[in-house]
Amino acid sequence: MNADLVVVGSGLFGLTIAERAATELGLKVALIDRRRHIGGNAYSEREERTGIEVHRYGAHLFHTSNERVWEYVNRFTAFTNYVHRVYTRHQDEVYPMPINLGTINQFFRSAHGPAEAKALIQEQAGELAGTDPENLNDKGIQLIGRPLYEAFIKHYTGKQWQTDPKDLPASIISRLPVRYTYDNRYFNDTHEGLPVDGYTAWLERMADHPNIEVHLDTDFFDGEHALSRSAVMGQVPVVYTGPVDRYFDFAEGDLSWRTIDLEEEVLPIEDFQGCSVMNYPDDDVRFTRIHEFRHFHPERDYTKDATVIMREFSRFAEKGDEPYYPVNTEVDRDKLRKYRDLARGEESVLFGGRLGTYKYLDMHMAIGSALSMFDNKLRPHFERGEKLVSGGVDA
């Protein structure tokens, strides 16, 4: 095996580790992924009939206030000036989200200023104001009042979790953003935009280094190749970004995840909904939202004869499903503590990324976490011979 480091998984965490190790340390890196493409869930490709770039695993919006991350990603791509705005369709009326002064005044057919709107929301929290609710339903009412909660949050959350919000812990929504201005930008970060040439072009540039050898359609747990777990363990350091419970053959039980199902459709019209993302919070609509990808890049000269939409459905993941969001119940956290202890016992294996740490990480968070791992663990090991302490799984 001609590699100094094996990176399992080519999502943004794995790509960042591989690129830094190759560029900064001159290491020969074997980057493996069981999928047919690099980039993990950030992968995008042009829909063949329309040429419209589609995010294959759901919409990905890049935003960050981390200056180091922003400087790093701009080495590989320029970004458009796209600003993400979300709308929600409730009872055949469209409102701006997150909840802001425009949403409040439209919903209540009012013309409140900020102070009046705040007083109204406080009043609508009713008997739950000032309490410490234990379930999500009561917490939502406490935070934004019953009318807004039931219109925009209750059923949407129920569809996301396939569970009545009364049976979900309040910790899931420790806060619900309400803006008492007419600002309907979805993110508050300093930097925001989409890669000018698309996500895949950006990701491929990260992997385009003579010291990085990419192996696709390669399962780390398949013992039939030279980069399998059985072949590399104890021979070369490994950065593992797959599911942590899978790494240990589910020895402490399966961690629970939510997943999404995506239903794509090409429509013979120029524009379906007039925006990138439309939420559907009502309980009589099965999906949670619709993405229309032409609106992510209005600067592009896409066809006017067709558009691509994607309906998103949310549910609990089962065996064989693609895990997206950690459910993170107390039972899960207990299992994770046990996996953390197992991880410490491995030889020269670091666990990272969303799946490897059982944390929901936005793209900028995954990159920032990878840069920290490189600085604090990999560089000291390869440059100064410091012991590579295994782990990285948090509980």
Side-chain angles (χ1 to χ4, degrees):
M1 176 179 51
N2 187 27
D4 303 306
L5 176 70
V6 172
V7 178
V8 181
S10 67
L12 279 165
F13 189 100
L15 280 170
T16 302
I17 291 290
E19 188 279 328
R20 290 288 78 196
T23 302
E24 289 287 299
L25 303 178
L27 301 181
K28 293 181 178 178
V29 181
L31 179 64
I32 73 173
D33 202 297
R34 62 180 176 80
R35 288 174 171 169
R36 63 176 177 83
H37 58 74
I38 66 169
N41 286 359
Y43 174 76
S44 66
E45 63 184 356
R46 291 185 181 269
E47 196 279 327
E48 59 182 11
R49 285 170 287 178
T50 63
I52 295 172
E53 182 186 357
V54 171
H55 302 178
R56 278 286 156 230
Y57 301 91
H60 280 66
L61 298 312
F62 192 82
H63 56 97
T64 186
S65 294
N66 185 319
E67 294 298 334
R68 185 187 182 194
V69 169
W70 183 243
E71 185 278 329
Y72 177 72
V73 298
N74 273 272
R75 299 179 191 183
F76 308 101
T77 181
F79 286 84
T80 69
N81 61 359
Y82 175 85
V83 174
H84 192 47
R85 302 181 194 276
V86 173
Y87 295 85
T88 188
R89 180 170 173 165
H90 168 60
Q91 294 183 352
D92 291 329
E93 191 168 345
V94 174
Y95 299 83
M97 293 294 282
I99 294 169
N100 60 74
L101 202 52
T103 318
I104 293 168
N105 281 330
Q106 182 182 347
F107 186 79
F108 292 108
R109 300 297 189 264
S110 58
H112 293 313
E116 294 171 303
K118 283 181 185 177
L120 175 65
I121 299 305
Q122 267 192 324
E123 178 186 341
Q124 289 177 343
E127 71 279 6
L128 291 170
T131 65
D132 188 20
E134 294 186 359
N135 69 69
L136 186 151
N137 188 79
D138 291 352
K139 183 70 174 179
I141 295 171
Q142 181 207 46
L143 290 170
I144 62 172
R146 188 180 296 275
L148 291 172
Y149 166 75
E150 292 188 346
F152 300 121
I153 307 299
K154 179 178 180 178
H155 301 299
Y156 190 85
T157 303
K159 288 191 288 187
Q160 280 187 313
W161 291 89
Q162 299 291 290
T163 304
D164 190 316
K166 291 179 180 177
D167 298 323
L168 292 169
S171 59
I172 291 175
I173 53 164
S174 56
R175 60 182 295 273
L176 280 172
V178 178
R179 295 180 185 151
Y180 295 100
T181 69
Y182 289 97
D183 180 6
N184 70 330
R185 294 173 304 160
Y186 197 74
F187 303 115
N188 292 318
D189 287 294
T190 307
H191 306 289
E192 180 178 357
L194 293 173
V196 169
D197 302 318
Y199 277 101
T200 296
W202 165 20
L203 304 169
E204 287 177 342
R205 289 179 193 132
M206 292 182 72
D208 185 18
H209 191 286
N211 285 358
I212 298 176
E213 196 170 273
V214 179
H215 303 262
L216 301 176
D217 294 309
T218 303
D219 188 340
F220 184 57
F221 301 102
D222 179 357
E224 299 301 314
H225 59 85
L227 293 170
S228 68
R229 175 181 173 176
S230 58
V232 304
M233 296 309 297
Q235 305 300 313
V236 61
V238 172
V239 175
Y240 174 81
T241 71
V244 60
D245 51 358
R246 172 67 184 91
Y247 180 91
F248 293 106
D249 201 24
F250 309 100
E252 301 297 341
D254 292 33
L255 294 169
S256 51
W257 297 82
R258 282 192 299 121
T259 190
I260 60 174
D261 296 317
L262 299 166
E263 181 182 277
E264 183 179 320
E265 186 175 1
V266 177
L267 301 174
I269 55 175
E270 180 180 355
D271 194 343
F272 172 72
Q273 63 187 18
C275 64
S276 303
V277 178
M278 181 75 71
N279 288 354
Y280 285 79
D282 296 343
D283 62 349
D284 60 349
V285 179
R286 287 182 51 239
F287 46 84
T288 55
R289 53 187 174 175
I290 295 179
H291 311 280
E292 186 170 10
F293 291 101
R294 72 179 312 114
H295 294 292
F296 288 123
H297 287 280
E299 77 282 2
R300 293 180 181 172
D301 187 24
Y302 285 143
T303 177
K304 292 179 169 50
D305 296 328
T307 191
V308 184
I309 66 170
M310 188 178 280
R311 298 176 186 88
E312 182 175 317
F313 303 79
S314 180
R315 61 180 173 82
F316 283 107
E318 300 174 356
K319 281 283 192 185
D321 285 331
E322 195 66 47
Y324 276 74
Y325 308 105
V327 175
N328 206 21
T329 64
E330 183 53 47
V331 173
D332 288 317
R333 289 192 290 275
D334 182 59
K335 292 176 184 176
L336 189 59
R337 283 187 281 270
K338 294 173 181 175
Y339 281 125
R340 178 188 59 187
D341 293 339
L342 290 175
R344 287 174 176 163
E346 291 296 287
E347 182 180 350
S348 298
V349 181
L350 300 177
F351 295 80
R354 177 175 50 92
L355 303 180
T357 60
Y358 195 65
K359 285 183 177 180
Y360 179 70
L361 300 175
D362 282 333
M363 289 184 284
H364 67 288
M365 297 166 69
I367 293 167
S369 178
L371 292 172
S372 294
M373 178 183 283
F374 176 76
D375 289 344
N376 299 324
K377 294 204 169 188
L378 292 171
R379 185 189 287 277
H381 172 72
F382 284 104
E383 281 191 340
R384 300 191 294 274
E386 292 185 14
K387 180 177 174 58
L388 191 62
V389 179
S390 294
V393 181
D394 300 319

